[in-house]
């Protein structure tokens, strides 16, 4: 049961990141992004991946690994397209 | 050790939400908010709180409970200040 709740939570929190990612990729509009906060979030979700590995909890590992990917992509786009 | 990693992760991911919350509260500017995504995220982090309770993991409970508060505030401001 816990696994189901964790997977559902992970899917929803991951999905909620997609609109911003799609908007940035499509429009290359990085003005609204805060690089400092992306880095803070990137370190945070990376630590959640470490936490998930230490606890062997796949819902935490997978959803936060996805978040690492999303935020690494946002940071890359910011560095490429900032004015 | 796991507790420390979880607390650090929770603090960082929570802190990363603050600039947007402060901006919305200060400027009442809700145009950039997506109510659908706030609701998706709200349900997601609420499920993470349930997951944390089921697993008795305080880092997950506290950081996601904070996220519930932030997103509930964002949603409230959106409903009040949307045009």
């Amino acid at each position: 049961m816990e696994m189901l709740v964790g997977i559902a939570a992970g899917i929803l929190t991951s999905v909620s990141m997609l609109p911003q990612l799609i908007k940035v990729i499509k429009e290359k509009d990085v003005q609204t992004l805060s690089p400092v906060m992306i880095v803070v979030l990137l370190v945070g979700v990376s630590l959640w991946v470490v936490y998930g590995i230490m606890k062997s909890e796949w819902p935490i590992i997978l959803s936060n690994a996805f978040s690492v990917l999303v935020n690494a992509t946002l940071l890359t786009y910011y560095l490429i397209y900032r004015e």
Side-chain angles (χ1 to χ4, degrees), chain A residues 8-40:
Chain A
I11 289 170
L12 288 171
T13 45
S14 300
V15 161
S16 72
M17 284 184 271
L18 291 180
Q20 182 186 33
L21 179 66
I22 292 165
K23 186 170 183 278
V24 164
I25 290 176
K26 255 199 212 165
E27 299 168 16
K28 312 285 190 282
D29 171 15
V30 295
Q31 300 321 319
T32 59
L33 297 181
S34 154
V36 172
M37 281 307 122
I38 295 174
V39 169
V40 167

mmCIF file of all heavy atoms in Angstrom, chain A residues 8-40:
data_model
loop_
_atom_site.group_PDB
_atom_site.id
_atom_site.type_symbol
_atom_site.label_atom_id
_atom_site.label_comp_id
_atom_site.label_asym_id
_atom_site.label_seq_id
_atom_site.Cartn_x
_atom_site.Cartn_y
_atom_site.Cartn_z
ATOM 1 N N ALA A 8 2.229 7.174 -6.515
ATOM 2 C CA ALA A 8 1.231 8.191 -6.913
ATOM 3 C C ALA A 8 1.750 9.582 -6.565
ATOM 4 O O ALA A 8 1.708 10.512 -7.381
ATOM 5 C CB ALA A 8 -0.083 7.927 -6.195
ATOM 6 N N ALA A 9 2.302 9.733 -5.363
ATOM 7 C CA ALA A 9 2.847 11.029 -4.934
ATOM 8 C C ALA A 9 3.966 11.454 -5.872
ATOM 9 O O ALA A 9 4.025 12.598 -6.331
ATOM 10 C CB ALA A 9 3.369 10.919 -3.504
ATOM 11 N N GLY A 10 4.826 10.509 -6.196
ATOM 12 C CA GLY A 10 5.964 10.813 -7.063
ATOM 13 C C GLY A 10 5.544 11.236 -8.453
ATOM 14 O O GLY A 10 6.079 12.205 -9.011
ATOM 15 N N ILE A 11 4.534 10.540 -8.997
ATOM 16 C CA ILE A 11 4.052 10.873 -10.345
ATOM 17 C C ILE A 11 3.470 12.289 -10.346
ATOM 18 O O ILE A 11 3.802 13.120 -11.195
ATOM 19 C CB ILE A 11 3.004 9.841 -10.823
ATOM 20 C CG1 ILE A 11 3.708 8.506 -11.121
ATOM 21 C CG2 ILE A 11 2.254 10.344 -12.047
ATOM 22 C CD1 ILE A 11 2.759 7.348 -11.379
ATOM 23 N N LEU A 12 2.633 12.594 -9.349
ATOM 24 C CA LEU A 12 1.974 13.909 -9.311
ATOM 25 C C LEU A 12 2.989 15.047 -9.134
ATOM 26 O O LEU A 12 2.944 16.052 -9.842
ATOM 27 C CB LEU A 12 0.941 13.945 -8.185
ATOM 28 C CG LEU A 12 -0.315 13.114 -8.439
ATOM 29 C CD1 LEU A 12 -1.175 13.043 -7.184
ATOM 30 C CD2 LEU A 12 -1.122 13.708 -9.587
ATOM 31 N N THR A 13 3.930 14.868 -8.217
ATOM 32 C CA THR A 13 4.902 15.954 -7.996
ATOM 33 C C THR A 13 5.819 16.092 -9.212
ATOM 34 O O THR A 13 6.288 17.183 -9.526
ATOM 35 C CB THR A 13 5.731 15.703 -6.716
ATOM 36 O OG1 THR A 13 6.164 14.349 -6.684
ATOM 37 C CG2 THR A 13 4.927 16.006 -5.478
ATOM 38 N N SER A 14 6.048 14.985 -9.924
ATOM 39 C CA SER A 14 6.879 15.061 -11.142
ATOM 40 C C SER A 14 6.108 15.759 -12.262
ATOM 41 O O SER A 14 6.624 16.662 -12.914
ATOM 42 C CB SER A 14 7.299 13.660 -11.576
ATOM 43 O OG SER A 14 8.044 13.029 -10.547
ATOM 44 N N VAL A 15 4.848 15.359 -12.436
ATOM 45 C CA VAL A 15 4.013 15.947 -13.494
ATOM 46 C C VAL A 15 3.911 17.464 -13.316
ATOM 47 O O VAL A 15 3.958 18.227 -14.278
ATOM 48 C CB VAL A 15 2.603 15.316 -13.486
ATOM 49 C CG1 VAL A 15 1.595 16.185 -14.219
ATOM 50 C CG2 VAL A 15 2.651 13.916 -14.080
ATOM 51 N N SER A 16 3.860 17.899 -12.059
ATOM 52 C CA SER A 16 3.650 19.342 -11.810
ATOM 53 C C SER A 16 4.835 20.177 -12.288
ATOM 54 O O SER A 16 4.720 21.387 -12.414
ATOM 55 C CB SER A 16 3.423 19.587 -10.316
ATOM 56 O OG SER A 16 4.641 19.410 -9.614
ATOM 57 N N MET A 17 5.963 19.530 -12.565
ATOM 58 C CA MET A 17 7.144 20.276 -13.032
ATOM 59 C C MET A 17 7.148 20.436 -14.549
ATOM 60 O O MET A 17 7.887 21.258 -15.096
ATOM 61 C CB MET A 17 8.403 19.538 -12.614
ATOM 62 C CG MET A 17 8.752 19.679 -11.164
ATOM 63 S SD MET A 17 10.309 18.865 -10.827
ATOM 64 C CE MET A 17 9.724 17.229 -10.437
ATOM 65 N N LEU A 18 6.353 19.645 -15.233
ATOM 66 C CA LEU A 18 6.459 19.561 -16.697
ATOM 67 C C LEU A 18 6.080 20.851 -17.424
ATOM 68 O O LEU A 18 6.806 21.271 -18.325
ATOM 69 C CB LEU A 18 5.637 18.378 -17.216
ATOM 70 C CG LEU A 18 6.212 17.008 -16.848
ATOM 71 C CD1 LEU A 18 5.323 15.897 -17.407
ATOM 72 C CD2 LEU A 18 7.650 16.841 -17.342
ATOM 73 N N PRO A 19 4.974 21.528 -17.039
ATOM 74 C CA PRO A 19 4.604 22.742 -17.784
ATOM 75 C C PRO A 19 5.735 23.766 -17.855
ATOM 76 O O PRO A 19 6.029 24.308 -18.912
ATOM 77 C CB PRO A 19 3.405 23.292 -17.006
ATOM 78 C CG PRO A 19 2.835 22.118 -16.310
ATOM 79 C CD PRO A 19 4.005 21.231 -15.979
ATOM 80 N N GLN A 20 6.396 23.985 -16.702
ATOM 81 C CA GLN A 20 7.484 24.978 -16.705
ATOM 82 C C GLN A 20 8.619 24.501 -17.619
ATOM 83 O O GLN A 20 9.160 25.278 -18.407
ATOM 84 C CB GLN A 20 8.025 25.194 -15.291
ATOM 85 C CG GLN A 20 9.126 26.249 -15.238
ATOM 86 C CD GLN A 20 9.768 26.381 -13.888
ATOM 87 O OE1 GLN A 20 9.885 25.399 -13.150
ATOM 88 N NE2 GLN A 20 10.190 27.592 -13.539
ATOM 89 N N LEU A 21 8.948 23.225 -17.555
ATOM 90 C CA LEU A 21 10.039 22.678 -18.381
ATOM 91 C C LEU A 21 9.693 22.811 -19.856
ATOM 92 O O LEU A 21 10.498 23.298 -20.651
ATOM 93 C CB LEU A 21 10.271 21.202 -18.037
ATOM 94 C CG LEU A 21 11.375 20.503 -18.837
ATOM 95 C CD1 LEU A 21 12.743 21.100 -18.502
ATOM 96 C CD2 LEU A 21 11.361 19.003 -18.585
ATOM 97 N N ILE A 22 8.475 22.443 -20.221
ATOM 98 C CA ILE A 22 8.034 22.504 -21.625
ATOM 99 C C ILE A 22 8.058 23.948 -22.120
ATOM 100 O O ILE A 22 8.548 24.240 -23.213
ATOM 101 C CB ILE A 22 6.628 21.878 -21.784
ATOM 102 C CG1 ILE A 22 6.708 20.361 -21.527
ATOM 103 C CG2 ILE A 22 6.031 22.170 -23.157
ATOM 104 C CD1 ILE A 22 5.366 19.693 -21.305
ATOM 105 N N LYS A 23 7.594 24.877 -21.259
ATOM 106 C CA LYS A 23 7.555 26.303 -21.623
ATOM 107 C C LYS A 23 8.978 26.812 -21.895
ATOM 108 O O LYS A 23 9.235 27.470 -22.902
ATOM 109 C CB LYS A 23 6.920 27.104 -20.497
ATOM 110 C CG LYS A 23 6.687 28.588 -20.797
ATOM 111 C CD LYS A 23 5.831 29.228 -19.698
ATOM 112 C CE LYS A 23 5.524 30.688 -20.020
ATOM 113 N NZ LYS A 23 6.658 31.573 -19.628
ATOM 114 N N VAL A 24 9.898 26.456 -21.015
ATOM 115 C CA VAL A 24 11.292 26.922 -21.167
ATOM 116 C C VAL A 24 11.907 26.326 -22.427
ATOM 117 O O VAL A 24 12.558 27.017 -23.208
ATOM 118 C CB VAL A 24 12.129 26.550 -19.917
ATOM 119 C CG1 VAL A 24 13.621 26.656 -20.192
ATOM 120 C CG2 VAL A 24 11.724 27.435 -18.744
ATOM 121 N N ILE A 25 11.671 25.044 -22.689
ATOM 122 C CA ILE A 25 12.255 24.382 -23.855
ATOM 123 C C ILE A 25 11.669 24.966 -25.135
ATOM 124 O O ILE A 25 12.372 25.298 -26.086
ATOM 125 C CB ILE A 25 12.040 22.853 -23.797
ATOM 126 C CG1 ILE A 25 12.907 22.255 -22.685
ATOM 127 C CG2 ILE A 25 12.360 22.189 -25.137
ATOM 128 C CD1 ILE A 25 12.720 20.773 -22.449
ATOM 129 N N LYS A 26 10.338 25.165 -25.148
ATOM 130 C CA LYS A 26 9.647 25.684 -26.345
ATOM 131 C C LYS A 26 10.036 27.134 -26.610
ATOM 132 O O LYS A 26 10.422 27.509 -27.691
ATOM 133 C CB LYS A 26 8.136 25.619 -26.116
ATOM 134 C CG LYS A 26 7.423 24.480 -26.873
ATOM 135 C CD LYS A 26 5.936 24.817 -26.935
ATOM 136 C CE LYS A 26 5.044 23.601 -26.919
ATOM 137 N NZ LYS A 26 3.641 23.962 -26.634
ATOM 138 N N GLU A 27 9.897 27.977 -25.583
ATOM 139 C CA GLU A 27 10.028 29.420 -25.793
ATOM 140 C C GLU A 27 11.435 29.946 -25.497
ATOM 141 O O GLU A 27 11.727 31.106 -25.748
ATOM 142 C CB GLU A 27 9.008 30.161 -24.919
ATOM 143 C CG GLU A 27 7.563 29.788 -25.259
ATOM 144 C CD GLU A 27 6.581 30.314 -24.199
ATOM 145 O OE1 GLU A 27 6.985 31.203 -23.407
ATOM 146 O OE2 GLU A 27 5.442 29.823 -24.154
ATOM 147 N N LYS A 28 12.290 29.085 -24.952
ATOM 148 C CA LYS A 28 13.649 29.511 -24.562
ATOM 149 C C LYS A 28 13.573 30.742 -23.626
ATOM 150 O O LYS A 28 14.491 31.546 -23.563
ATOM 151 C CB LYS A 28 14.493 29.869 -25.801
ATOM 152 C CG LYS A 28 14.457 28.850 -26.935
ATOM 153 C CD LYS A 28 15.281 27.622 -26.655
ATOM 154 C CE LYS A 28 15.452 26.729 -27.862
ATOM 155 N NZ LYS A 28 14.221 25.896 -28.136
ATOM 156 N N ASP A 29 12.416 30.858 -22.924
ATOM 157 C CA ASP A 29 12.211 32.017 -22.051
ATOM 158 C C ASP A 29 12.710 31.662 -20.642
ATOM 159 O O ASP A 29 12.018 30.962 -19.891
ATOM 160 C CB ASP A 29 10.716 32.362 -22.014
ATOM 161 C CG ASP A 29 10.422 33.422 -20.936
ATOM 162 O OD1 ASP A 29 11.404 34.050 -20.480
ATOM 163 O OD2 ASP A 29 9.253 33.568 -20.564
ATOM 164 N N VAL A 30 13.913 32.133 -20.340
ATOM 165 C CA VAL A 30 14.513 31.769 -19.054
ATOM 166 C C VAL A 30 14.496 32.942 -18.080
ATOM 167 O O VAL A 30 15.050 32.865 -16.987
ATOM 168 C CB VAL A 30 15.957 31.255 -19.252
ATOM 169 C CG1 VAL A 30 15.968 29.957 -20.040
ATOM 170 C CG2 VAL A 30 16.828 32.308 -19.911
ATOM 171 N N GLN A 31 13.832 34.072 -18.513
ATOM 172 C CA GLN A 31 13.862 35.271 -17.654
ATOM 173 C C GLN A 31 13.212 35.022 -16.305
ATOM 174 O O GLN A 31 13.628 35.582 -15.300
ATOM 175 C CB GLN A 31 13.145 36.447 -18.364
ATOM 176 C CG GLN A 31 13.770 36.856 -19.701
ATOM 177 C CD GLN A 31 15.285 36.809 -19.702
ATOM 178 O OE1 GLN A 31 15.927 37.204 -18.716
ATOM 179 N NE2 GLN A 31 15.884 36.247 -20.752
ATOM 180 N N THR A 32 12.169 34.150 -16.273
ATOM 181 C CA THR A 32 11.446 33.953 -15.002
ATOM 182 C C THR A 32 12.172 32.957 -14.100
ATOM 183 O O THR A 32 11.771 32.751 -12.954
ATOM 184 C CB THR A 32 10.039 33.392 -15.284
ATOM 185 O OG1 THR A 32 10.218 32.138 -15.989
ATOM 186 C CG2 THR A 32 9.212 34.336 -16.129
ATOM 187 N N LEU A 33 13.239 32.329 -14.595
ATOM 188 C CA LEU A 33 13.947 31.327 -13.789
ATOM 189 C C LEU A 33 14.914 32.004 -12.817
ATOM 190 O O LEU A 33 15.530 33.015 -13.145
ATOM 191 C CB LEU A 33 14.726 30.369 -14.692
ATOM 192 C CG LEU A 33 13.920 29.512 -15.653
ATOM 193 C CD1 LEU A 33 14.856 28.591 -16.449
ATOM 194 C CD2 LEU A 33 12.874 28.691 -14.919
ATOM 195 N N SER A 34 15.020 31.416 -11.606
ATOM 196 C CA SER A 34 16.003 31.921 -10.639
ATOM 197 C C SER A 34 17.093 30.856 -10.515
ATOM 198 O O SER A 34 16.855 29.792 -9.920
ATOM 199 C CB SER A 34 15.342 32.139 -9.286
ATOM 200 O OG SER A 34 16.317 32.032 -8.257
ATOM 201 N N PRO A 35 18.303 31.116 -11.088
ATOM 202 C CA PRO A 35 19.350 30.101 -11.054
ATOM 203 C C PRO A 35 19.727 29.673 -9.645
ATOM 204 O O PRO A 35 19.984 28.513 -9.391
ATOM 205 C CB PRO A 35 20.525 30.777 -11.773
ATOM 206 C CG PRO A 35 20.229 32.225 -11.785
ATOM 207 C CD PRO A 35 18.737 32.351 -11.743
ATOM 208 N N VAL A 36 19.675 30.643 -8.717
ATOM 209 C CA VAL A 36 20.033 30.300 -7.328
ATOM 210 C C VAL A 36 19.052 29.260 -6.787
ATOM 211 O O VAL A 36 19.440 28.227 -6.241
ATOM 212 C CB VAL A 36 20.018 31.568 -6.437
ATOM 213 C CG1 VAL A 36 20.185 31.182 -4.964
ATOM 214 C CG2 VAL A 36 21.105 32.532 -6.880
ATOM 215 N N MET A 37 17.747 29.500 -7.046
ATOM 216 C CA MET A 37 16.753 28.570 -6.514
ATOM 217 C C MET A 37 16.802 27.224 -7.230
ATOM 218 O O MET A 37 16.558 26.185 -6.624
ATOM 219 C CB MET A 37 15.345 29.175 -6.625
ATOM 220 C CG MET A 37 15.065 30.182 -5.532
ATOM 221 S SD MET A 37 15.369 29.502 -3.887
ATOM 222 C CE MET A 37 16.614 30.654 -3.258
ATOM 223 N N ILE A 38 17.157 27.238 -8.516
ATOM 224 C CA ILE A 38 17.278 25.959 -9.230
ATOM 225 C C ILE A 38 18.422 25.141 -8.630
ATOM 226 O O ILE A 38 18.278 23.942 -8.396
ATOM 227 C CB ILE A 38 17.520 26.192 -10.742
ATOM 228 C CG1 ILE A 38 16.318 26.866 -11.381
ATOM 229 C CG2 ILE A 38 17.826 24.872 -11.437
ATOM 230 C CD1 ILE A 38 16.538 27.250 -12.840
ATOM 231 N N VAL A 39 19.524 25.823 -8.307
ATOM 232 C CA VAL A 39 20.670 25.112 -7.712
ATOM 233 C C VAL A 39 20.293 24.590 -6.322
ATOM 234 O O VAL A 39 20.564 23.437 -5.983
ATOM 235 C CB VAL A 39 21.910 26.025 -7.644
ATOM 236 C CG1 VAL A 39 23.003 25.386 -6.798
ATOM 237 C CG2 VAL A 39 22.411 26.338 -9.056
ATOM 238 N N VAL A 40 19.603 25.433 -5.537
ATOM 239 C CA VAL A 40 19.172 25.008 -4.190
ATOM 240 C C VAL A 40 18.278 23.774 -4.320
ATOM 241 O O VAL A 40 18.459 22.763 -3.631
ATOM 242 C CB VAL A 40 18.405 26.154 -3.470
ATOM 243 C CG1 VAL A 40 17.673 25.643 -2.230
ATOM 244 C CG2 VAL A 40 19.368 27.278 -3.103
#
